[in-house]
Amino acid sequence: MTVFVPLPVTIVSGFPGAGKTTLLRHLIGASTGRVAILKNELGSVSIDDELLASARARRIEVVFGRSCREAGEDLARQLYAIAAEAGDFDHLFIEMSGVAHPGVLAALLLVDSALRHRLRLDGIVTVVDVVNYSAHAGGEDYADKQVAYADAVVLSKSELVSVTAVDQLLQRLRRINPRTRYFVTTDARVPAHELLQLGGFDFSRIEADVVDLLGQEYGGKSEAREIETVAVTCRHGFVFDRFLPWVEAFIAAKFHDLFRVKGIVAIEGRSRRLVVQAVHGWCRAVPGRLWRSDPRISRLVFIGRRLDRREIERGLRGCEARVQVAKRI
């Protein structure tokens, strides 16, 4: 019996002119498989599809609209069509318009059961224009959000600025998203294999990300829009029926400001880790590896705006097994 393998999906985001199409051409050119491309364009006339047509793409679909919300119905319709033919392709690339939030699309791919079983989100790649990022990061902070959601960030046009300027920008970006992978490039050239197996939404890889980040004792804010990373360690086990409702409620309450959450949680009375992953309001928690002799330490990472560390720590303390909850009589 043939087992169907979901089609891997890579979302490419970044401001107009950053080099998204250039990166896509490199990735497609390096691919030996069958590629599908879905593009969300700002205007009503597309020229990028002509540029990409020379590459080895078996299918190119263009959806017009400023954002995922404006292009929503057409975008979903094309996703369903590609999902129905998923077995005909080896990879799907989705290029977002310059001011679209990749987290919105990521949540759609993860929440919609019809899409989730046919398409597997591998990661979000954000292309950053080294020359113009500071200007883009103003306004409505779309550029910072695109970095906050990213599993990999490609810095393009690095040859046009000094090494010091690149280093300063990297420091700024790492305050927004310290755990993601950064590639400093000329002409957005990155070895394809570095971006096509990111595993950004693979629960089995989350633990390494979270442990590495907590090991840095990192916490910082971006200068522009207060996007920050809050990393928390808890040494007491949680009660599942308290923790899950709390984290779901917290994510729902912070819907507009909380971009991503990753965590490894120790649940009282359970022998396996609970792995938590959230993006743009979507949240899922699944059993992970056995604890065995490892210290049962919970680690959670939150990336967003206006995050209150004390509020998060207070909420988590209320989920600990050692906390007695008063019963109504």
Side-chain angles (χ1 to χ4, degrees), residues 5-221:
V5 178
L7 179 67
V9 179
T10 299
I11 297 174
V12 179
S13 72
F15 255 68
K20 298 189 298 294
T21 301
T22 301
L23 175 63
L24 273 178
R25 292 187 68 179
H26 291 326
L27 295 177
I28 296 167
S31 174
T32 59
R34 303 156 299 173
V35 173
I37 303 169
L38 179 58
K39 292 169 59 60
N40 172 210
E41 293 279 11
L42 277 172
S44 58
V45 178
S46 175
I47 59 172
D48 285 347
D49 54 332
E50 296 179 10
L51 298 175
L52 289 164
S54 60
R56 290 194 294 274
R58 294 284 299 277
R59 176 173 182 152
I60 300 176
E61 300 291 350
V62 180
V63 173
F64 297 106
R66 175 179 170 85
S67 65
C68 284
R69 181 173 298 175
E70 292 182 10
E73 289 187 9
D74 285 342
L75 190 60
R77 179 171 52 81
Q78 294 294 354
L79 281 172
Y80 289 132
I82 293 173
E85 302 173 6
D88 295 336
F89 302 102
D90 297 298
H91 207 100
L92 167 61
F93 294 99
I94 305 177
E95 181 183 334
M96 307 300 298
S97 75
V99 294
H101 298 173
V104 178
L105 180 57
L108 174 62
L109 289 167
L110 295 165
V111 169
D112 190 301
S113 59
L115 296 177
R116 188 173 66 244
H117 294 304
R118 304 286 293 179
L119 305 176
R120 174 181 62 80
L121 180 57
D122 182 62
I124 298 171
V125 179
T126 295
V127 184
V128 167
D129 180 342
V130 174
V131 178
N132 298 304
Y133 181 82
S134 294
H136 293 162
E140 299 181 63
D141 80 330
Y142 291 120
D144 282 349
K145 287 181 180 178
Q146 290 168 352
V147 172
Y149 282 118
D151 299 292
V153 174
V154 176
L155 278 68
S156 65
K157 307 178 185 179
S158 63
E159 74 279 8
L160 301 180
V161 299
S162 67
V163 174
T164 300
V166 172
D167 288 342
Q168 289 175 343
L169 179 57
L170 277 171
Q171 291 176 21
R172 175 178 181 172
L173 299 178
R174 285 184 173 128
R175 284 195 292 271
I176 298 172
N177 192 341
R179 183 59 192 122
T180 196
R181 301 181 63 186
Y182 289 90
F183 299 89
V184 179
T185 71
T186 298
D187 201 24
R189 289 185 178 275
V190 180
H193 70 275
E194 296 279 4
L195 298 181
L196 299 184
Q197 297 180 19
L198 289 170
F201 292 82
D202 182 346
F203 284 88
S204 65
R205 297 193 190 182
I206 290 176
E207 182 175 4
D209 288 349
V210 173
V211 171
D212 286 352
L213 180 56
L214 268 292
Q216 299 171 27
E217 294 296 327
Y218 185 90
K221 296 184 178 181

